Amino acid sequence: MHLTVDVTDAPRKIIHAQLTIPVNPGPLTLLYPKWIPGEHGPTGPIDNLAGIVMTANGQQLSWMRDDINMFAFHVTVPQGVSTLNVKLDFLATAPATGFSAGASTSANLAVLSWNEVVLYPAGISPSEIEVQPAVKLPAGWQYGTALTKTGEENGEIEFAPVSLNMLIDSPLLTGRYFKEIPLAPDVTPKHYLDMAADGPEDLLLSPANLAAFSKLVRETGALYKSRHYESYHFLVTLSDQVSHFGLEHHQSSDDRVDEKTFVDDNLFYLSADLLPHEFTHSWNGKYRRPAGLATGNYEDPMIGNLLWVYEGLTDYLGNVLAARSKIETAAQYRDYLASDAATMDYRPGRTWRDLQDTATAAQTLYETPDAWDNWRRSVDYYPEGDLVWLDVDTTIRKLTHDKKSLNDFLARFEGLGGNTPPKVVPYHFDDVVDGLNDVVPYDWASFLKERLTSKAPHAPLGGTENSGYRLVYTDQPNDYTQARINAYGTMPAWWSIGINVGSDGRISDVLVGSPADKVKLGPGMQIIAVNGRQYTGQLLSDAIRDAKGNSAPIQLIVANTGTFRVIGLDYHDGLRYPHLERVDGTPDYLDEILKPMTEAPKGS
Ligand SMILES: [Zn+2]
């Protein structure tokens, strides 16, 4: 097939595509990708596909959508026809929510996800469909992608033919304000940081942070003892106009963050794990993939029951690698971990829904709102994965007197087969257990199942305890919480009165069983006044602090869908924020875990 995509109208939120597909006469079904790898759900944006016109030998053919499968189009190819031409438009009008189907363009940049602009013949494995891609970009825009450029003619950039799988796995980032920087030039294969932003000043990453990204490249080599790509591109979108998420690919990652992330210390800290996380997926998720997610096509439903490995282990490693690479300090990692552990510990939904169910039901959970999230439990296998895999890591260290660690498991599990081109090596639960047993014999199956099926009211904190720390609460925010307050003006009163509040007083969630729950506060309500004065986060914080040691309730005026209510909140335990406190006389495994595995090369 040939696929030519015209991105010049991306600032107007419309993308034009043209396909030529080799065909045989007779009935033909064309499919639009439905289950998108890495999104773990049927998220193909079929609703924004428009302008589908099919022609052959200059004649327009009529197509019919399948009555059941909305992602399938039927057409009859006339006798004597060997090439079908398809024109289609993708309406890039989605709001900035969700994954790649969310907002992906602005006046200055665009991310092209090829799955959004392609139809392909049913009945052939996508790995066996060869596509010759080309793009036309707005004048003066540059681009980054893992695809290989072969030529340029009339403003159209041509790429080497690839399988449909690899095309969909190779998004293209383009923009007016664009910069490509090689990372760790001492390492083969080559790595690049590609950035597109809404302003030229957003690209001014500090030399120290750039050095940290180069260190990340070296640290992954030391940890995974392999690479499974020909080259790697971090495609970073710095924009407040697009969805914010990361999406992994074999040879690149689609990393979308707030516009000022690379020039603002708070935002940089808050997204410290993003690049290490998505990069780790090249090994854990793309190369090693749970068998249920390795469908090999875009039509069959995916089975998410091992996402606590695919995402949970990656979440743990993304944060550990951020510290090892100096993207964040060890102290910043500990404050992140304290917040993560405390959030999971105050999660009453764990009494009705086990961690396994959050993975099994993943396809229904990614788009859920924050409201009552602590009772629903959302994709908790990410944040709780940090705790479970820290538990695994520190248990190996304890069992082997610190001779072995999760690093040994990863070298074998992710490095299986040494360096390879991109490919998928599927695994099952038993392969994970066998891999851990190869490092140190233990009842790993029961260890994991216990944590996956527990309905205990508290989080599994064995990992923090094994590593020599205890979770405590003080009246001072830790650095991670403070960075959130600084960056977004939010007021985290989660561990005190049991609410998270936005800068405008809007309550995003209420902790079930908390003082706020008892006085019937709810998500979506807005705090108008605190003790008679117009709401600010600081006023609420001061009121919680001052209510400690006296008996007067904190008075709130709260608006709820046009109705106002005065509430007396009887809470007197003061401000409470999580911290990790060192337990004297125990080994500090966390310190060991966060130590870099590599030195900087000489002369750098
Ligand atoms: Zn991930």
PDB file of all heavy atoms in Angstrom, residues 161-180:
ATOM      1  N   PRO A 161       9.662   1.758   3.006  1.00  0.00           N
ATOM      2  CA  PRO A 161       8.497   0.899   3.278  1.00  0.00           C
ATOM      3  C   PRO A 161       8.689   0.124   4.584  1.00  0.00           C
ATOM      4  O   PRO A 161       9.801  -0.285   4.901  1.00  0.00           O
ATOM      5  CB  PRO A 161       8.481  -0.071   2.097  1.00  0.00           C
ATOM      6  CG  PRO A 161       9.353   0.537   1.057  1.00  0.00           C
ATOM      7  CD  PRO A 161      10.349   1.399   1.760  1.00  0.00           C
ATOM      8  N   VAL A 162       7.590  -0.003   5.319  1.00  0.00           N
ATOM      9  CA  VAL A 162       7.598  -0.772   6.581  1.00  0.00           C
ATOM     10  C   VAL A 162       6.306  -1.577   6.654  1.00  0.00           C
ATOM     11  O   VAL A 162       5.354  -1.305   5.913  1.00  0.00           O
ATOM     12  CB  VAL A 162       7.666   0.143   7.829  1.00  0.00           C
ATOM     13  CG1 VAL A 162       9.037   0.773   7.979  1.00  0.00           C
ATOM     14  CG2 VAL A 162       6.578   1.216   7.794  1.00  0.00           C
ATOM     15  N   SER A 163       6.260  -2.546   7.558  1.00  0.00           N
ATOM     16  CA  SER A 163       5.004  -3.269   7.763  1.00  0.00           C
ATOM     17  C   SER A 163       3.992  -2.312   8.399  1.00  0.00           C
ATOM     18  O   SER A 163       4.378  -1.330   9.042  1.00  0.00           O
ATOM     19  CB  SER A 163       5.235  -4.470   8.685  1.00  0.00           C
ATOM     20  OG  SER A 163       5.544  -4.000   9.981  1.00  0.00           O
ATOM     21  N   LEU A 164       2.723  -2.627   8.231  1.00  0.00           N
ATOM     22  CA  LEU A 164       1.677  -1.795   8.832  1.00  0.00           C
ATOM     23  C   LEU A 164       1.867  -1.711  10.351  1.00  0.00           C
ATOM     24  O   LEU A 164       1.669  -0.658  10.960  1.00  0.00           O
ATOM     25  CB  LEU A 164       0.295  -2.351   8.474  1.00  0.00           C
ATOM     26  CG  LEU A 164      -0.906  -1.571   9.036  1.00  0.00           C
ATOM     27  CD1 LEU A 164      -0.926  -0.136   8.523  1.00  0.00           C
ATOM     28  CD2 LEU A 164      -2.207  -2.276   8.690  1.00  0.00           C
ATOM     29  N   ASN A 165       2.275  -2.832  10.963  1.00  0.00           N
ATOM     30  CA  ASN A 165       2.569  -2.841  12.405  1.00  0.00           C
ATOM     31  C   ASN A 165       3.581  -1.785  12.784  1.00  0.00           C
ATOM     32  O   ASN A 165       3.396  -1.028  13.741  1.00  0.00           O
ATOM     33  CB  ASN A 165       3.207  -4.185  12.804  1.00  0.00           C
ATOM     34  CG  ASN A 165       2.181  -5.226  13.095  1.00  0.00           C
ATOM     35  OD1 ASN A 165       0.991  -4.955  13.019  1.00  0.00           O
ATOM     36  ND2 ASN A 165       2.631  -6.418  13.408  1.00  0.00           N
ATOM     37  N   MET A 166       4.687  -1.773  12.050  1.00  0.00           N
ATOM     38  CA  MET A 166       5.765  -0.856  12.404  1.00  0.00           C
ATOM     39  C   MET A 166       5.389   0.582  12.049  1.00  0.00           C
ATOM     40  O   MET A 166       5.847   1.514  12.698  1.00  0.00           O
ATOM     41  CB  MET A 166       7.075  -1.259  11.715  1.00  0.00           C
ATOM     42  CG  MET A 166       7.718  -2.492  12.337  1.00  0.00           C
ATOM     43  SD  MET A 166       7.846  -2.430  14.153  1.00  0.00           S
ATOM     44  CE  MET A 166       9.063  -1.137  14.360  1.00  0.00           C
ATOM     45  N   LEU A 167       4.561   0.759  11.028  1.00  0.00           N
ATOM     46  CA  LEU A 167       4.104   2.113  10.709  1.00  0.00           C
ATOM     47  C   LEU A 167       3.282   2.670  11.861  1.00  0.00           C
ATOM     48  O   LEU A 167       3.530   3.780  12.351  1.00  0.00           O
ATOM     49  CB  LEU A 167       3.273   2.110   9.418  1.00  0.00           C
ATOM     50  CG  LEU A 167       2.741   3.490   9.029  1.00  0.00           C
ATOM     51  CD1 LEU A 167       3.876   4.406   8.576  1.00  0.00           C
ATOM     52  CD2 LEU A 167       1.671   3.393   7.947  1.00  0.00           C
ATOM     53  N   ILE A 168       2.311   1.878  12.325  1.00  0.00           N
ATOM     54  CA  ILE A 168       1.456   2.332  13.421  1.00  0.00           C
ATOM     55  C   ILE A 168       2.276   2.492  14.697  1.00  0.00           C
ATOM     56  O   ILE A 168       1.953   3.296  15.569  1.00  0.00           O
ATOM     57  CB  ILE A 168       0.258   1.370  13.576  1.00  0.00           C
ATOM     58  CG1 ILE A 168      -0.688   1.562  12.383  1.00  0.00           C
ATOM     59  CG2 ILE A 168      -0.467   1.561  14.907  1.00  0.00           C
ATOM     60  CD1 ILE A 168      -1.876   0.629  12.336  1.00  0.00           C
ATOM     61  N   ASP A 169       3.396   1.784  14.761  1.00  0.00           N
ATOM     62  CA  ASP A 169       4.276   1.876  15.929  1.00  0.00           C
ATOM     63  C   ASP A 169       5.269   3.044  15.820  1.00  0.00           C
ATOM     64  O   ASP A 169       6.108   3.215  16.697  1.00  0.00           O
ATOM     65  CB  ASP A 169       5.047   0.554  16.082  1.00  0.00           C
ATOM     66  CG  ASP A 169       5.640   0.394  17.467  1.00  0.00           C
ATOM     67  OD1 ASP A 169       4.864   0.434  18.431  1.00  0.00           O
ATOM     68  OD2 ASP A 169       6.879   0.256  17.578  1.00  0.00           O
ATOM     69  N   SER A 170       5.165   3.837  14.747  1.00  0.00           N
ATOM     70  CA  SER A 170       6.171   4.886  14.508  1.00  0.00           C
ATOM     71  C   SER A 170       5.520   6.242  14.252  1.00  0.00           C
ATOM     72  O   SER A 170       5.555   6.751  13.129  1.00  0.00           O
ATOM     73  CB  SER A 170       7.039   4.510  13.298  1.00  0.00           C
ATOM     74  OG  SER A 170       7.585   3.232  13.462  1.00  0.00           O
ATOM     75  N   PRO A 171       4.926   6.872  15.278  1.00  0.00           N
ATOM     76  CA  PRO A 171       4.285   8.172  15.055  1.00  0.00           C
ATOM     77  C   PRO A 171       5.304   9.220  14.623  1.00  0.00           C
ATOM     78  O   PRO A 171       6.513   9.015  14.756  1.00  0.00           O
ATOM     79  CB  PRO A 171       3.717   8.513  16.438  1.00  0.00           C
ATOM     80  CG  PRO A 171       4.544   7.734  17.401  1.00  0.00           C
ATOM     81  CD  PRO A 171       4.908   6.463  16.686  1.00  0.00           C
ATOM     82  N   LEU A 172       4.773  10.318  14.105  1.00  0.00           N
ATOM     83  CA  LEU A 172       5.636  11.404  13.625  1.00  0.00           C
ATOM     84  C   LEU A 172       5.249  12.678  14.365  1.00  0.00           C
ATOM     85  O   LEU A 172       4.070  13.029  14.439  1.00  0.00           O
ATOM     86  CB  LEU A 172       5.448  11.562  12.117  1.00  0.00           C
ATOM     87  CG  LEU A 172       6.252  12.642  11.396  1.00  0.00           C
ATOM     88  CD1 LEU A 172       6.693  12.141  10.016  1.00  0.00           C
ATOM     89  CD2 LEU A 172       5.427  13.929  11.239  1.00  0.00           C
ATOM     90  N   LEU A 173       6.249  13.327  14.937  1.00  0.00           N
ATOM     91  CA  LEU A 173       6.048  14.600  15.638  1.00  0.00           C
ATOM     92  C   LEU A 173       6.588  15.708  14.752  1.00  0.00           C
ATOM     93  O   LEU A 173       7.716  15.611  14.258  1.00  0.00           O
ATOM     94  CB  LEU A 173       6.797  14.582  16.977  1.00  0.00           C
ATOM     95  CG  LEU A 173       6.876  15.916  17.743  1.00  0.00           C
ATOM     96  CD1 LEU A 173       5.493  16.380  18.190  1.00  0.00           C
ATOM     97  CD2 LEU A 173       7.804  15.781  18.953  1.00  0.00           C
ATOM     98  N   THR A 174       5.787  16.730  14.518  1.00  0.00           N
ATOM     99  CA  THR A 174       6.234  17.825  13.660  1.00  0.00           C
ATOM    100  C   THR A 174       5.847  19.156  14.273  1.00  0.00           C
ATOM    101  O   THR A 174       4.860  19.239  15.014  1.00  0.00           O
ATOM    102  CB  THR A 174       5.643  17.672  12.235  1.00  0.00           C
ATOM    103  OG1 THR A 174       6.074  18.773  11.435  1.00  0.00           O
ATOM    104  CG2 THR A 174       4.124  17.615  12.254  1.00  0.00           C
ATOM    105  N   GLY A 175       6.643  20.181  13.978  1.00  0.00           N
ATOM    106  CA  GLY A 175       6.308  21.485  14.538  1.00  0.00           C
ATOM    107  C   GLY A 175       7.144  22.622  13.973  1.00  0.00           C
ATOM    108  O   GLY A 175       8.197  22.413  13.375  1.00  0.00           O
ATOM    109  N   ARG A 176       6.626  23.807  14.212  1.00  0.00           N
ATOM    110  CA  ARG A 176       7.304  25.050  13.814  1.00  0.00           C
ATOM    111  C   ARG A 176       8.527  25.288  14.710  1.00  0.00           C
ATOM    112  O   ARG A 176       9.593  25.635  14.240  1.00  0.00           O
ATOM    113  CB  ARG A 176       6.306  26.206  13.974  1.00  0.00           C
ATOM    114  CG  ARG A 176       6.746  27.542  13.442  1.00  0.00           C
ATOM    115  CD  ARG A 176       5.784  28.659  13.903  1.00  0.00           C
ATOM    116  NE  ARG A 176       4.370  28.347  13.688  1.00  0.00           N
ATOM    117  CZ  ARG A 176       3.717  28.565  12.558  1.00  0.00           C
ATOM    118  NH1 ARG A 176       4.340  29.091  11.518  1.00  0.00           N
ATOM    119  NH2 ARG A 176       2.440  28.260  12.466  1.00  0.00           N
ATOM    120  N   TYR A 177       8.338  25.068  16.025  1.00  0.00           N
ATOM    121  CA  TYR A 177       9.446  25.232  16.974  1.00  0.00           C
ATOM    122  C   TYR A 177       9.907  23.831  17.350  1.00  0.00           C
ATOM    123  O   TYR A 177       9.252  23.153  18.152  1.00  0.00           O
ATOM    124  CB  TYR A 177       8.994  26.024  18.201  1.00  0.00           C
ATOM    125  CG  TYR A 177       8.341  27.328  17.805  1.00  0.00           C
ATOM    126  CD1 TYR A 177       6.985  27.558  18.029  1.00  0.00           C
ATOM    127  CD2 TYR A 177       9.081  28.311  17.156  1.00  0.00           C
ATOM    128  CE1 TYR A 177       6.384  28.736  17.638  1.00  0.00           C
ATOM    129  CE2 TYR A 177       8.478  29.504  16.750  1.00  0.00           C
ATOM    130  CZ  TYR A 177       7.137  29.697  16.995  1.00  0.00           C
ATOM    131  OH  TYR A 177       6.534  30.858  16.591  1.00  0.00           O
ATOM    132  N   PHE A 178      10.974  23.412  16.762  1.00  0.00           N
ATOM    133  CA  PHE A 178      11.368  22.001  16.820  1.00  0.00           C
ATOM    134  C   PHE A 178      12.869  21.896  17.019  1.00  0.00           C
ATOM    135  O   PHE A 178      13.631  22.712  16.503  1.00  0.00           O
ATOM    136  CB  PHE A 178      10.971  21.312  15.510  1.00  0.00           C
ATOM    137  CG  PHE A 178      11.160  19.820  15.540  1.00  0.00           C
ATOM    138  CD1 PHE A 178      10.110  18.990  15.900  1.00  0.00           C
ATOM    139  CD2 PHE A 178      12.385  19.251  15.222  1.00  0.00           C
ATOM    140  CE1 PHE A 178      10.276  17.617  15.950  1.00  0.00           C
ATOM    141  CE2 PHE A 178      12.565  17.877  15.267  1.00  0.00           C
ATOM    142  CZ  PHE A 178      11.500  17.053  15.628  1.00  0.00           C
ATOM    143  N   LYS A 179      13.267  20.898  17.773  1.00  0.00           N
ATOM    144  CA  LYS A 179      14.700  20.691  17.989  1.00  0.00           C
ATOM    145  C   LYS A 179      14.952  19.191  18.142  1.00  0.00           C
ATOM    146  O   LYS A 179      14.197  18.505  18.829  1.00  0.00           O
ATOM    147  CB  LYS A 179      15.117  21.407  19.273  1.00  0.00           C
ATOM    148  CG  LYS A 179      16.579  21.775  19.339  1.00  0.00           C
ATOM    149  CD  LYS A 179      16.753  22.750  20.504  1.00  0.00           C
ATOM    150  CE  LYS A 179      18.171  23.233  20.635  1.00  0.00           C
ATOM    151  NZ  LYS A 179      18.282  24.158  21.775  1.00  0.00           N
ATOM    152  N   GLU A 180      15.997  18.711  17.477  1.00  0.00           N
ATOM    153  CA  GLU A 180      16.424  17.319  17.666  1.00  0.00           C
ATOM    154  C   GLU A 180      17.834  17.315  18.229  1.00  0.00           C
ATOM    155  O   GLU A 180      18.728  17.939  17.662  1.00  0.00           O
ATOM    156  CB  GLU A 180      16.383  16.541  16.357  1.00  0.00           C
ATOM    157  CG  GLU A 180      16.845  15.095  16.549  1.00  0.00           C
ATOM    158  CD  GLU A 180      16.648  14.233  15.300  1.00  0.00           C
ATOM    159  OE1 GLU A 180      15.553  13.659  15.137  1.00  0.00           O
ATOM    160  OE2 GLU A 180      17.595  14.153  14.492  1.00  0.00           O
TER     161      GLU A 180
END
